[in-house]
Amino acid sequence: PEFQRAASAVSKVTSADPVVAPGGVTRAEVVHVAGEYMRCIAVLREKREKTLLPLALGEYGHVLRLLGDAKGAAQAWSDGLDTVFPVMHVSRHWRTIVPPSLMLRGENPQTSEHVISQYGAWSVLTAGSLAYSLARYGHPQDLHVQLELSLLCAHLLAVPFSSGLPHPQRAAEFAGYTPRELIAGFDPLTDTMRSEPATLMDAAEFATGVLLRNGHAVEALPMLSLYQ
């Protein structure tokens, strides 16, 4: 299906190729990029790569969105989430991966069972960005799905805070808290190829708006600390 979408996109390119992105980027150039991403994703799937594949799927989704393929973009982001976690349809079953009690009541599991230990900090933040993209661009009209994905995003972006002291262990305690670091020796903003600061800020800002409109202000507090 991915190759069919690219072929369909190519067939729409005319001699008067429209500019679709800043800097004079034309549709034909974006279609070419989409094809390169598809080849990259195919190789990563073949190698069963778990770290780079979600990143590639996330970027591929934005390329498809630029081409006007909203459905294909949403599928790419959803596939990215399903790649990070061993649960299909993560947006529906996310509470089995990131229990709300982890953030709301500070009920941390054993170290070996912690989300960071199981999946890695980079993958958790990548999944948060994917949940944001899927909520904002993949389901702009489905308010229930958008809320579920925003809750997922908020809980994922709060996970690094739950890895240990000196951070507060309950969401409500973040109201007056300004963090100096997420995890000792780990700064998610140092590698923009894995975790783009602007994307994390957009994710936190958008998800916070959705949560506030739906009465989930407490869940937004750790995410706002990350934003700060």
Side-chain angles (χ1 to χ4, degrees):
E2 292 176 353
F3 286 99
Q4 291 176 354
R5 282 197 294 271
S8 176
V10 171
S11 67
K12 297 177 182 178
V13 178
T14 65
S15 56
D17 195 18
V19 173
V20 296
V25 178
T26 66
R27 183 179 180 84
E29 291 172 321
V30 178
V31 169
H32 173 73
V33 171
E36 294 299 313
Y37 267 106
M38 284 193 299
R39 282 186 277 275
C40 175
I41 289 168
V43 172
L44 292 173
R45 286 192 193 279
E46 184 178 349
K47 293 182 177 294
R48 300 181 184 274
E49 222 291 327
K50 294 293 186 180
T51 302
L52 296 178
L53 180 55
L55 290 170
L57 285 166
E59 294 177 4
Y60 179 53
H62 286 292
V63 173
L64 291 178
R65 175 173 166 266
L66 192 59
L67 290 171
D69 186 359
K71 185 176 180 180
Q75 186 61 56
W77 294 322
S78 181
D79 288 349
L81 277 174
D82 291 344
T83 300
V84 174
F85 303 111
V87 177
M88 293 299 293
H89 306 298
V90 174
S91 60
R92 302 178 194 171
H93 309 294
W94 65 268
R95 290 171 179 82
T96 64
I97 301 169
V98 194
S101 60
L102 181 67
M103 181 208 292
L104 294 175
R105 296 194 293 274
E107 296 177 1
N108 287 330
Q110 296 296 320
T111 302
S112 61
E113 298 174 352
H114 196 279
V115 179
I116 291 291
S117 299
Q118 289 182 302
Y119 307 108
W122 288 120
S123 293
V124 168
L125 294 178
T126 296
S129 297
L130 289 166
Y132 150 68
S133 297
L134 194 54
R136 182 172 186 176
Y137 304 114
H139 299 280
Q141 305 300 323
D142 193 327
L143 299 184
H144 172 72
V145 173
Q146 194 172 83
L147 173 59
E148 284 295 294
L149 287 166
S150 295
L151 282 168
L152 170 59
C153 177
H155 282 263
L156 288 171
L157 296 187
V159 162
F161 288 125
S162 67
S163 62
L165 300 175
H167 305 303
Q169 295 302 293
R170 297 182 182 87
E173 297 171 353
F174 279 85
Y177 178 69
T178 301
R180 294 185 178 181
E181 62 180 359
L182 282 179
I183 302 173
F186 172 72
D187 184 354
L189 307 183
T190 56
D191 190 342
T192 56
M193 296 300 292
R194 292 199 199 186
S195 180
E196 189 177 33
T199 301
L200 288 177
M201 293 180 70
D202 287 344
E205 185 174 343
F206 175 81
T208 295
V210 173
L211 297 189
L212 291 178
R213 290 194 297 272
N214 287 275
H216 292 275
V218 173
E219 285 96 323
L221 291 175
M223 183 169 55
L224 286 174
S225 289
L226 176 65
Y227 181 94
Q228 188 176 31

